[in-house]
Amino acid sequence: MSTVQQFRTGDTPLPDVIILTHKLTREYDMGSELVRALRGVSVQIRQNEYVAVMGPSGSGKSTLMNLVGCLDTPTSGEYWLNGQKVSDLADDELARIRNKEIGFVFQTFNLLPRADALHNVELPLIYAGISAHQRRERAAQALQRVGLGDRMDHRPNELSGGQRQRVAIARALVNEPSILLADEPTGNLDSTTSTEIMGVFAELHRQGQTVVMVTHEHDIAANAARVITLHDGLVATDQRQAA
Amino acid sequence: MRAFEAFHLAIQTIRAQKLKSGFSLLGVFVGVSSLIGSCSIANGVNRYMTEKFAQTIFGVNTFQLRRRPIFTPNVPDSVWRAWQRRPRIRFSDADAVEAGLSVPVITAWQSSDNVTVSFGNKEARDIELTTASERYFDIKNLRIATGRAFTGEENRSGTPVAVLGEAVAKRLFTDRPPIGRNVRIGGIPYRVIGVVEHQGSLMGFPLDRFVVVPALSPAQNLVNPPGIVDAFLVKANSEGEMREAMAEAEGIMRSRRHLRPQQDNNFVLDTSEGVQRFWAGISRIIMIVMPGIVIVSLVIGGIVIMNIMLMAVAERTREIGLRKSLGARRRDVLQQFLAESTAIATVGAAFGIVAGIGLTVLINALSPLPASISPSSVIAGVIMGAGVGVVAGVYPATRAARLDPITALRQE
């Protein structure tokens, strides 16, 4: 493993650094008080890393997740994603980054209830402007990749929890994003299904996918190769572990 | 996202929420169908007035020399009394005008009143008796179905022969042939020589309840004093020649009546224009009142759609958050909801057009109003319907587009 770059403002991240945050802060003006959710987080995540972000509630892990997911912009500091500085991009540019670079997996799956699995997986491709024919093909491939090739025309309510999360993972993967960003991906699943989903993550990681996962469960975090713990808006620990 | 995708999505959503969408397109539906319905009535009446009504009463390129206008809506009593004091039109006036005209015309005398016509013990009451000269049939374009019209010779000699309207023939003779039979017109015996073709009805008034007899035959006394006509009909070959003939007729009449230049005419030269003007006025009123109804229902329709869309945005906040997290830009979300409201309104407008056309057909079948679809109202309906959808969708769609994805995703 190469040494971590000592990043300074004005630098460019090394080519294999997918995520780089530099002194990232995020403050919320709650009227009477200023909430400092992140107080200077500097993290580097390389290609094909499998990282779990942990921390008690209020530690800032959701805020970091939103920033890394380009759903929010930082108050100060830099955020580089896949070689592009995204911390000062405007709304629509961020939407494009989310579409191309990030695959979200949510705790509550967030599937469209009236659409079948295939259409749910197609969604990101619609916003990427890909033709209907290609969309269907690629969505079907993504579903096959998560082992749901035979469930494409099922609606979410015809699928089990684990299957739903697999559809969501397929949707996250369909645009071949730089990072798979999972927010408590097993939070709504029983332990057997959780293990199954962690198996999918492990396989994707093995295939070369960069995975960042926010969780508060230690045994889920144990699946990752690296665990970053946040506390009070700062990185408390950053440890590599044997998978 | 392409517009096509947005509309595809909109149609999917509408189909998934049939009832809700059904209610929301009701306003536009009512607006557009009333637009088309009322336009059809106005348009139909208009066309009827210009094409048929005026021709039926006056004939093409025809003017009438009369004591007062034939069509006199809303005339004050004083004017009416002044008209009543005017001298009547005489046979001699008609002859003088005819003799003095330089343009080729055909002319006819005409006087009318209601009488009872009887055959044996059968009676037809309230029949319009017209005493006329022989060219009357040509001017009014009355074609003979059976038998013949009377001749100039019969007119001049006052032969008691009668040409019946279809309804009168049916009433008196049912299916038996009426030609050659003797009827009594206001008690005076006449021989039937012809029956006129079916004329139908005009704004609900039957046009077949009449009988025409020679102007110089005995029944003239039932209608007017001797030597007097209600109208002298002059038909020219073209409108231009008609104008010329009218100017000549005016001069002839003024000199016959010894009118000084500053004196007004004490007669009228009436054309279908007067009637048409009157109806143009009515259709203008329809055209003024109608947009009110249409605008009110479209505004209500718009408000309903806006509310439904606001509800949809609130209900689907999570979906919007999700779409944004997956890469939907503001514009995509805006487009999606605009497409949805526009689709709802357009579907409403489409149903409205179908209903409007149905309404028109129904009006035609069940009422005397001659409704006829005006193509421009159909186009206006589509444009207005879609326009309402766009306008009503702007605010909800903007709200949806502005949603913060983080808060939207957190929404339960």
Side-chain angles (χ1 to χ4, degrees):
Chain A
M1 183 132 328
S2 58
T3 52
V4 173
Q5 179 192 9
Q6 283 305 310
F7 189 85
R8 285 183 203 86
T9 308
D11 287 355
T12 320
L14 296 174
D16 70 332
V17 175
I18 292 283
I19 290 173
L20 185 147
T21 70
H22 180 63
K23 293 180 181 167
L24 208 58
T25 73
R26 180 67 170 98
E27 291 165 358
Y28 298 100
D29 189 359
M30 304 299 274
S32 57
E33 56 172 337
L34 196 68
V35 177
R36 303 172 69 193
L38 290 185
R39 302 192 289 151
V41 172
S42 299
V43 171
Q44 293 186 31
I45 296 170
R46 286 166 191 282
Q47 200 152 22
N48 197 26
E49 273 200 273
Y50 187 174
V51 180
V53 177
M54 296 198 70
S57 64
S59 62
K61 63 179 194 299
S62 292
T63 307
L64 181 60
M65 177 80 184
N66 289 337
L67 288 173
V68 168
C70 292
L71 292 166
D72 197 5
T73 44
T75 308
S76 72
E78 289 178 36
Y79 172 29
W80 293 75
L81 178 61
N82 201 16
Q84 193 183 359
K85 192 175 174 188
V86 295
S87 39
D88 44 12
L89 289 183
D91 222 48
D92 279 357
E93 292 166 314
L94 286 177
R96 195 178 52 81
I97 297 285
R98 288 197 293 270
N99 185 249
K100 280 179 62 181
E101 306 284 351
I102 298 160
F104 285 100
V105 176
F106 303 95
Q107 178 177 358
T108 50
F109 320 139
N110 279 331
L111 300 174
L112 297 184
R114 287 189 299 267
D116 61 17
L118 192 72
H119 184 78
N120 266 295
V121 176
E122 268 185 66
L123 274 181
L125 298 174
I126 293 180
Y127 297 114
I130 288 165
S131 74
H133 175 71
Q134 270 192 38
R135 282 201 316 251
R136 231 161 292 143
E137 216 163 81
R138 281 173 63 176
Q141 276 170 13
L143 279 168
Q144 273 153 9
R145 226 176 132 188
V146 297
L148 283 178
D150 55 343
R151 293 279 193 280
M152 293 196 224
D153 53 349
H154 287 51
R155 290 185 179 199
N157 61 7
E158 298 162 334
L159 297 170
S160 71
Q163 286 171 333
R164 286 182 210 180
Q165 195 58 300
R166 279 166 187 259
V167 173
I169 293 169
R171 181 181 64 194
L173 292 174
V174 75
N175 255 358
E176 288 157 11
S178 323
I179 54 167
L180 187 68
L181 196 54
D183 186 7
E184 304 278 5
T186 59
N188 275 21
L189 300 173
D190 60 45
S191 58
T192 324
T193 320
S194 297
T195 312
E196 177 193 320
I197 294 299
M198 282 305 105
V200 176
F201 275 37
E203 175 58 22
L204 294 171
H205 176 231
R206 200 187 58 73
Q207 290 169 10
Q209 181 69 52
T210 310
V211 181
V212 178
M213 166 173 78
V214 170
T215 183
H216 64 273
E217 291 174 75
H218 284 280
D219 49 342
I220 293 298
N223 290 286
R226 179 180 166 194
V227 179
I228 295 170
T229 315
L230 292 183
H231 194 79
D232 267 351
L234 289 168
V235 176
T237 63
D238 187 345
Q239 293 169 324
R240 277 159 220 291
Q241 57 186 19
Chain B
M1 188 167 62
R2 291 163 206 147
F4 169 75
E5 300 284 356
F7 269 98
H8 185 67
L9 202 64
I11 297 296
Q12 275 181 339
T13 312
I14 290 168
R15 276 166 69 183
Q17 307 190 328
K18 285 186 193 75
L19 189 69
K20 202 189 281 175
S21 306
F23 276 115
S24 50
L25 53 79
L26 209 59
V28 176
F29 169 78
V30 171
V32 171
S33 56
S34 56
L35 170 78
I36 291 176
S38 43
C39 274
S40 296
I41 294 172
N43 183 46
V45 168
N46 249 351
R47 266 177 52 182
Y48 205 74
M49 282 310 134
T50 49
E51 287 171 17
K52 193 168 174 196
F53 191 93
Q55 311 303 7
T56 308
I57 291 184
F58 289 91
V60 189
N61 298 328
T62 300
F63 71 88
Q64 300 190 358
L65 169 63
R66 307 178 65 93
R67 178 163 65 151
R68 55 176 172 80
I70 189 168
F71 201 71
T72 54
N74 306 323
V75 172
D77 278 356
S78 54
V79 175
W80 187 263
R81 278 195 299 272
W83 283 343
Q84 293 300 101
R85 282 194 300 271
R86 289 177 172 183
R88 305 204 53 173
I89 308 295
R90 314 191 63 89
F91 288 165
S92 53
D93 293 325
D95 288 340
V97 168
E98 179 159 20
L101 290 181
S102 64
V103 288
V105 293
I106 58 172
T107 62
W109 302 333
Q110 185 205 343
S111 300
S112 298
D113 205 345
N114 283 357
V115 296
T116 298
V117 183
S118 62
F119 173 67
N121 53 6
K122 282 197 165 173
E123 278 190 348
R125 290 169 186 277
D126 277 330
I127 302 303
E128 185 186 52
L129 166 66
T130 296
T131 59
S133 53
E134 71 282 2
R135 301 307 294 271
Y136 176 79
F137 297 96
D138 297 330
I139 291 173
K140 286 299 183 90
N141 200 23
L142 294 174
R143 278 190 285 271
I144 305 297
T146 54
R148 59 174 180 86
F150 50 80
T151 63
E153 178 53 37
E154 281 168 324
N155 180 43
R156 280 185 290 279
S157 62
T159 316
V161 290
V163 176
L164 304 184
E166 189 206 40
V168 180
K170 276 234 172 77
R171 172 81 184 86
L172 296 181
F173 300 101
T174 325
D175 290 329
R176 283 176 294 177
I179 307 298
R181 304 276 175 178
N182 285 311
V183 295
R184 283 177 177 271
I185 296 172
I188 303 165
Y190 270 84
R191 184 165 55 87
V192 177
I193 57 166
V195 177
V196 173
E197 273 183 359
H198 179 71
Q199 299 292 306
S201 66
L202 184 73
M203 306 292 288
F205 300 107
L207 292 177
D208 293 294
R209 296 171 56 81
F210 65 88
V211 52
V212 186
V213 301
L216 295 174
S217 69
Q220 160 79 10
N221 296 327
L222 301 173
V223 179
N224 269 329
I228 301 289
V229 285
D230 286 348
F232 179 54
L233 280 47
V234 182
K235 180 186 168 87
N237 293 323
S238 69
E239 200 188 328
E241 291 191 357
M242 178 186 84
R243 300 269 163 227
E244 223 175 296
M246 278 171 81
E248 289 175 354
E250 188 178 6
I252 294 163
M253 282 306 290
R254 285 186 69 89
S255 78
R256 278 181 69 78
R257 295 272 170 92
H258 309 292
L259 296 176
R260 282 187 294 272
Q262 67 272 26
Q263 277 181 298
D264 287 336
N265 289 346
N266 56 4
F267 55 91
V268 291
L269 297 163
D270 210 2
T271 67
S272 60
E273 259 174 26
V275 183
Q276 285 180 16
R277 247 201 311 280
F278 175 71
W279 280 106
I282 286 188
S283 71
R284 211 171 300 128
I285 292 168
I286 297 176
M287 287 295 187
I288 289 165
V289 172
M290 174 210 66
I293 301 167
V294 172
I295 285 167
V296 166
S297 33
L298 286 181
V299 166
I300 292 171
I303 291 170
V304 171
I305 290 178
M306 193 192 297
N307 273 298
I308 298 271
M309 291 311 294
L310 282 173
M311 264 166 65
V313 170
E315 263 172 26
R316 283 151 63 188
T317 299
R318 263 183 95 92
E319 178 192 322
I320 296 162
L322 171 74
R323 287 180 185 277
K324 289 196 131 186
S325 75
L326 296 181
R329 291 159 302 175
R330 284 185 178 199
R331 174 154 40 110
D332 297 319
V333 176
L334 190 80
Q335 223 175 49
Q336 179 186 341
F337 282 89
L338 269 187
E340 212 169 300
S341 65
T342 308
I344 290 173
T346 309
V347 170
F351 282 129
I353 287 167
V354 172
I357 292 171
L359 199 67
T360 306
V361 172
L362 214 66
I363 289 169
N364 257 334
L366 301 180
S367 82
L369 287 171
S372 123
I373 307 276
S374 106
S376 56
S377 76
V378 174
I379 294 165
V382 175
I383 290 169
M384 284 165 95
V388 163
V390 172
V391 170
V394 166
Y395 176 57
T398 312
R399 271 181 60 159
R402 288 216 184 118
L403 280 175
D404 171 32
I406 300 168
T407 8
L409 274 171
R410 222 180 278 137
Q411 183 106 33
E412 283 311 310

